Amino acid sequence: MRLYSQRGKARWSAAALAIAAAGVAAQPYPAKPVTLYVGFPAGSTNDNTARTMAHQLSEQMGQQFIVINRDGAAGVIAAGQVAKMKPDGYSLMWASASPLVMSPAYNKSTPYDPLKDFAPVSVYFYLPYVIAGHPSVPAKNLRELLALAKAQPGKLSYGSSGVGGALHLAMELLLNMSGTKMLHVPYRGTPAMTLDVMSGQVDMMTNSTSNTAPHIASGRLRAIGVTSTKRSVQLPDVPTLAEAGMPGYEFVGWYSMVAPGGTPREIVATLNRNFVKALEAPAVKANIAAEGALPGGNSPEEFGSYLRSELDKYGKLVKSARLTPEQ
């Protein structure tokens, strides 16, 4: 009788555990806080936009989205870490074009495959950049800048947020198309770079229009041109580089959300559905407008196709410009 009771108790315990496990597994995603990694420092455009979306998703999905900064190497450090994290939807990355397409096209030793190691969720926005410099640089427009660079190859310097990143390649595209050379000075993000250009320690830089417009308005920086095919709403008096004398030039950055490769489709679909919905929130719309950008909101499949086309585009740029990781 005692043996029977022990067996019955064991069976009941096993059944109870199975039911409990099934209940946990059936919990809707997300069932706990989600971590959103940003590959750039606090105060950067990447960080600002990530926190805006994280706040909105926290409200919509009933769980906190926590932003953690892992800056360095134009976002590659964070991307390399997220690529190896558990694909359960609780570790995500706020990714710009820099770590997802530019660095892999530029440096073949990048520690991840952007197409295999990440599950695309959606693009947040697309934005132009502006090329600007310290007022002491004796060039008031693009033609004068390129003439100065040709007369003194490698003497002028320019800053970027990291080797192989968007700000680096945007300038390299211009130098490649014009047949000129400047000294590249990479930084761990944009704040320190901007300060050094405003102080005159570095001559030029490429940066977002939102970060640069106030300094242009104050006279601490001089704008040369914007990188998109249309003028920026934040800098309507600044010509595009194509207008300023470099026909065919276009370079637009973008920010997005990705998950580790292998994340279940239903979780990616849930993230995408809420992400697209969040783009309609007033605070998010205001954030996108403040950056002078155009909203995203594509599907995971559309984002995946866009990633492939971007990788091809920047691979050709790196090859034609003969860039190497040491630059």
Side-chain angles (χ1 to χ4, degrees), residues 135-155:
S136 65
V137 176
K140 296 182 179 180
N141 55 51
L142 179 62
R143 294 184 187 278
E144 292 179 1
L145 177 66
L146 296 181
L148 186 63
K150 287 182 179 180
Q152 302 174 327
K155 184 176 181 179

Side-chain angles (χ1 to χ4, degrees), residues 44-277:
S44 64
T45 304
N46 280 264
D47 178 72
N48 176 42
T49 52
R51 292 180 187 278
T52 299
M53 177 57 82
H55 178 75
Q56 184 60 36
L57 290 178
S58 296
E59 290 190 349
Q60 288 181 194
M61 302 181 74
Q63 288 288 349
Q64 187 176 8
F65 277 66
I66 303 168
V67 174
I68 293 182
N69 299 86
R70 294 282 174 82
D71 59 288
V76 170
I77 291 176
Q81 293 175 342
V82 174
K84 299 175 183 178
M85 291 179 176
K86 188 176 180 179
D88 58 2
Y90 292 99
S91 296
L92 307 173
M93 182 177 178
W94 192 254
S96 65
S98 292
L100 285 189
V101 297
M102 296 176 188
S103 292
Y106 180 80
N107 189 348
K108 299 305 179 184
S109 63
T110 299
Y112 50 83
D113 184 321
L115 298 179
K116 295 180 180 179
D117 293 335
F118 296 102
V121 176
S122 188
V123 171
Y124 183 65
F125 68 40
Y126 307 88
L127 80 165
Y129 301 110
V130 59
I131 292 179
H134 191 269
S136 65
V137 176
K140 296 182 179 180
N141 55 51
L142 179 62
R143 294 184 187 278
E144 292 179 1
L145 177 66
L146 296 181
L148 186 63
K150 287 182 179 180
Q152 302 174 327
K155 184 176 181 179
L156 286 175
S157 59
Y158 76 92
S160 81
S161 57
V163 174
L167 306 187
H168 178 201
L169 294 187
M171 182 67 85
E172 283 297 329
L173 177 60
L174 174 63
L175 299 179
N176 178 251
M177 291 178 67
S178 61
T180 54
K181 294 183 179 180
M182 292 186 192
L183 175 65
H184 178 216
V185 183
Y187 289 81
R188 290 172 64 92
T190 59
M193 172 193 72
T194 304
L195 288 174
D196 279 0
V197 177
M198 289 195 297
S199 67
Q201 296 185 54
V202 175
D203 296 314
M204 308 295 300
M205 70 173 185
T206 309
N207 205 346
S208 67
T209 56
S210 60
N211 283 344
T212 314
H215 305 306
I216 293 172
S218 70
R220 300 183 70 182
L221 291 175
R222 176 186 293 143
I224 296 297
V226 294
T227 64
S228 54
T229 56
K230 295 182 179 180
R231 293 196 181 197
S232 167
V233 294
Q234 295 179 322
L235 297 168
D237 296 328
V238 178
T240 68
L241 292 176
E243 290 176 326
M246 190 54 58
Y249 182 97
E250 180 185 13
F251 197 103
V252 179
W254 43 267
Y255 295 158
S256 68
M257 179 184 284
V258 297
T263 299
R265 290 184 179 182
E266 58 271 22
I267 290 179
V268 173
T270 297
L271 285 168
N272 175 264
R273 183 170 61 254
N274 280 276
F275 191 101
V276 173
K277 179 182 177 181

